[in-house]
């Protein structure tokens, strides 16, 4: 029988999605499942984006340009200018979600066996994208005890080898909600310039920052024109996960020219989704003001309720809409599956994402989960009550 590749065998399962069959079986048994496992906002997609599709008169759904339509890229550049990021349409490549932008970035700057340094825990698919690209992840460990703050910059330098090609950060962070300060970006800028590395910044949660703190983009006047690559997406910003539209942004012409070859190989990003995404750029600021206030309220509610459970540790996020929670259980993977297979409270249960999959270091995060606070407050309060009862019963068995 033919065999599959070692690369295929080594591709990690998604900690976010691997428990879906158990959740679906629970629903078939009549159990209501509260989904805290995935960053799928329940916030309504802006009307302006939906109307652009409903009212469209396209008669031939044709290919777009490989880099995305010029009109859309120009409007993206205008959006960035409002955020003190000065780029042109020619420095933007529209991609099929932020995921494809990450794959293009890794394909453009690394060869098999090269290394990328990533603070962990990190977005679980970084492991998958790295495996698909033949890249080795070198983790810098941050800890829940100090709210997942970056370790000293000297820790990054210890890990740099001739194989190191980039440092990759997510800002604000998924799964931790950590928000990088200007001082931290300055230190990272100093390192990548000193060692001639790229700094890849996944900034898809740029708008989602709380407590009157300002987001710092890697292209906000840090002198990283030749080093910075931004990964972006409409998924969370406009609650348009299903559009699958993102972009890669860089002022480095070699990066853009190389990424364009990958873009041409996959032909073009989806045309209809670009139409919706272009329209979404007209979303009024009032939409974001309401959304940010809602998420801050949800965050505060979730942290307050979790703090009532004995033995639980939770890092307080400053951005995005996730937090990492350490539970008083022996194995979060087993516990998460058990909640879906064998537990319910008043015919309800919760689904969480085991956090071990957000680390590349084996044995870390085994009693942690990621919770996405993308449900309304009443559901979050109820979900934590269910979680508390589940922990008590699980540990009593």
């Amino acid at each position: 029988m033919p065999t599959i590749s070692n690369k295929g065998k080594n591709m990690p399962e998604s900690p976010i999605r691997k428990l879906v069959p158990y959740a679906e079986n629970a629903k078939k048994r009549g159990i209501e499942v509260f989904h805290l496992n995935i960053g799928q906002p329940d916030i309504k997609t802006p009307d302006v984006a939906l109307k652009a599709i409903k009212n469209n008169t396209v008669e031939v759904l044709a290919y777009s340009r490989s880099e995305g339509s010029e009109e859309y890229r120009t409007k993206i550049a205008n959006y960035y200018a409002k955020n003190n990021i000065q780029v042109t349409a020619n420095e933007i490549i529209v991609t099929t979600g932020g995921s494809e932008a990450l794959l293009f970035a890794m394909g453009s700057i690394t060869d098999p066996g090269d290394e990328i340094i990533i603070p962990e825990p990190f977005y679980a698919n970084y492991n998958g994208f790295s495996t698909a690209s033949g890249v080795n992840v070198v983790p810098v460990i941050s800890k829940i005890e100090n709210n997942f703050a970056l370790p000293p910059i000297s820790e990054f330098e210890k890990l740099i080898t001739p194989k190191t090609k980039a440092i990759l950060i997510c800002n604000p962070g998924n799964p931790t909600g950590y928000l990088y300060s200007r001082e931290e970006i300055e230190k990272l800028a100093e390192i990548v310039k000193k060692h001639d590395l790229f700094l890849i910044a996944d900034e898809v949660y740029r708008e989602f920052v709380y407590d009157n703190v300002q987001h710092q983009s890697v292209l906000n006047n840090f002198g990283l024109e030749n080093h910075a690559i931004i990964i972006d997406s409409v998924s969370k910003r406009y609650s348009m996960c299903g559009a699958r539209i993102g972009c890669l942004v860089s002022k480095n012409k070699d990066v853009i020219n190389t990424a364009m070859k990958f873009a041409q190989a996959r032909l073009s990003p989806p045309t209809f989704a670009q139409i919706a995404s272009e329209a979404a750029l007209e979303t009024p600021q009032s939409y974001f003001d309401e959304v940010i206030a809602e998420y801050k309220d949800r965050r505060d509610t979730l942290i307050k309720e979790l703090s009532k459970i004995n033995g639980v540790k939770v890092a307080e996020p400053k951005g995005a809409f996730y937090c990492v929670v350490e539970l008083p259980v022996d194995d979060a993977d087993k516990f998460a599956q058990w909640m879906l297979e064998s537990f319910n409270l008043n015919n309800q249960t919760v689904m969480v994402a085991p956090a071990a999959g957000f680390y590349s270091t084996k044995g870390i995060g085994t009693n942690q989960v990621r919770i996405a606070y993308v449900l309304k407050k009443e559901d979050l309060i109820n979900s934590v009550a269910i979680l508390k009862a589940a922990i008590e019963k699980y540990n009593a068995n």
Side-chain angles (χ1 to χ4, degrees):
M1 179 176 175
T3 59
I4 62 170
S5 66
N6 288 326
K7 182 167 66 176
K9 292 175 184 176
N10 291 330
M11 277 292 287
E13 287 185 302
S14 167
I16 306 165
R17 294 175 179 267
K18 68 180 182 180
L19 296 175
V20 166
Y22 301 102
E24 293 305 310
N25 286 337
K27 292 173 187 176
K28 289 176 183 177
R29 299 193 308 272
I31 306 297
E32 183 180 6
V33 178
F34 290 100
H35 285 271
L36 303 177
N37 62 302
I38 192 165
Q40 171 58 65
D42 64 351
I43 303 294
K44 190 176 182 298
T45 303
D47 283 338
V48 67
L50 297 176
K51 287 178 180 176
I53 298 173
K54 293 175 183 175
N55 301 332
N56 201 277
T57 57
V58 170
E59 294 183 356
V60 177
L61 200 56
Y63 289 122
S64 77
R65 288 170 58 170
S66 292
E67 65 269 47
S69 75
E70 184 170 5
E71 185 178 20
Y72 179 37
R73 288 181 293 112
T74 299
K75 289 183 179 179
I76 296 174
N78 292 337
Y79 156 79
Y80 283 128
K82 295 175 185 176
N83 288 273
N84 196 30
I85 300 169
Q86 304 302 323
V87 293
T88 67
N90 292 332
E91 294 166 334
I92 299 168
I93 294 178
V94 178
T95 57
T96 308
S99 299
E100 189 175 68
L102 277 159
L103 285 169
F104 285 2
M106 289 188 181
S108 298
I109 68 172
T110 66
D111 291 307
D114 283 342
E115 298 170 350
I116 293 181
I117 297 172
I118 313 178
E120 67 175 359
F122 50 71
Y123 176 45
N125 282 340
Y126 294 165
N127 274 326
F129 299 142
S130 299
T131 300
S133 301
V135 173
N136 297 319
V137 171
V138 179
V140 174
I141 298 172
S142 60
K143 297 180 179 180
I144 195 168
E145 286 76 14
N146 60 356
N147 219 37
F148 293 111
L150 270 187
I153 295 300
S154 58
E155 295 300 306
F156 283 84
E157 290 209 276
K158 291 176 185 176
L159 300 173
I160 294 173
T161 74
K163 286 283 188 180
T164 306
K165 288 297 179 74
I167 296 172
L168 168 58
I169 62 172
C170 186
N171 184 34
N174 175 6
T176 63
Y178 186 76
L179 185 68
Y180 288 76
S181 67
R182 183 164 187 87
E183 290 72 25
E184 286 173 318
I185 302 293
E186 285 173 347
K187 289 176 181 176
L188 289 172
E190 183 181 332
I191 288 176
V192 298
K193 285 187 280 189
K194 176 180 176 182
H195 296 277
D196 207 19
L197 307 175
F198 289 100
L199 179 57
I200 306 172
D202 183 342
E203 298 185 358
V204 304
Y205 298 97
R206 181 184 297 108
E207 268 76 14
F208 302 98
V209 295
Y210 316 115
D211 307 324
N212 298 313
V213 181
Q214 187 174 3
H215 176 261
Q216 300 291 332
S217 171
V218 293
L219 283 177
N220 282 148
N221 303 314
F222 290 104
L224 291 173
E225 288 76 12
N226 291 321
H227 300 266
I229 301 172
I230 290 177
I231 307 300
D232 212 341
S233 171
V234 305
S235 293
K236 310 306 163 82
R237 182 169 301 132
Y238 307 109
S239 196
M240 291 173 59
C241 296
R244 308 312 307 134
I245 290 291
C247 63
L248 179 152
V249 184
S250 181
K251 297 187 76 66
N252 184 311
K253 287 184 173 58
D254 289 340
V255 168
I256 292 295
N257 292 339
T258 306
M260 258 299 291
K261 290 186 274 188
F262 287 91
Q264 290 167 346
R266 65 83 166 98
L267 304 184
S268 69
T271 300
F272 240 139
Q274 285 185 80
I275 292 170
S277 300
E278 181 180 329
L281 288 167
E282 304 300 323
T283 302
Q285 183 59 41
S286 58
Y287 173 89
F288 296 106
D289 293 342
E290 292 173 8
V291 169
I292 300 309
E294 175 66 21
Y295 277 127
K296 183 182 183 302
D297 203 16
R298 293 179 181 187
R299 178 201 65 174
D300 295 345
T301 298
L302 178 65
I303 299 296
K304 178 183 176 183
E305 296 302 313
L306 286 170
S307 66
K308 297 177 183 177
I309 305 177
N310 289 334
V312 161
K313 291 181 185 175
V314 56
E316 183 169 334
K318 298 295 184 184
F321 37 66
Y322 308 101
C323 65
V324 172
V325 184
E326 192 165 287
L327 303 176
V329 298
D330 59 346
D331 186 309
D333 262 290
K334 288 195 304 182
F335 174 66
Q337 184 173 328
W338 173 84
M339 281 198 296
L340 295 170
E341 284 190 305
S342 306
F343 175 81
N344 73 83
L345 181 67
N346 301 323
N347 232 33
Q348 297 176 324
T349 193
V350 297
M351 186 177 183
V352 294
F358 294 89
Y359 292 83
S360 64
T361 303
K362 299 299 181 185
I364 295 183
T366 53
N367 65 338
Q368 296 176 354
V369 297
R370 186 194 74 170
I371 290 179
Y373 44 98
V374 292
L375 305 180
K376 60 185 180 182
K377 280 202 308 181
E378 295 79 4
D379 289 341
L380 287 175
I381 293 169
N382 191 27
S383 296
V384 176
I386 295 168
L387 182 66
K388 181 177 185 291
I391 291 170
E392 291 171 354
K393 185 171 182 180
Y394 180 82
N395 287 331
N397 290 341

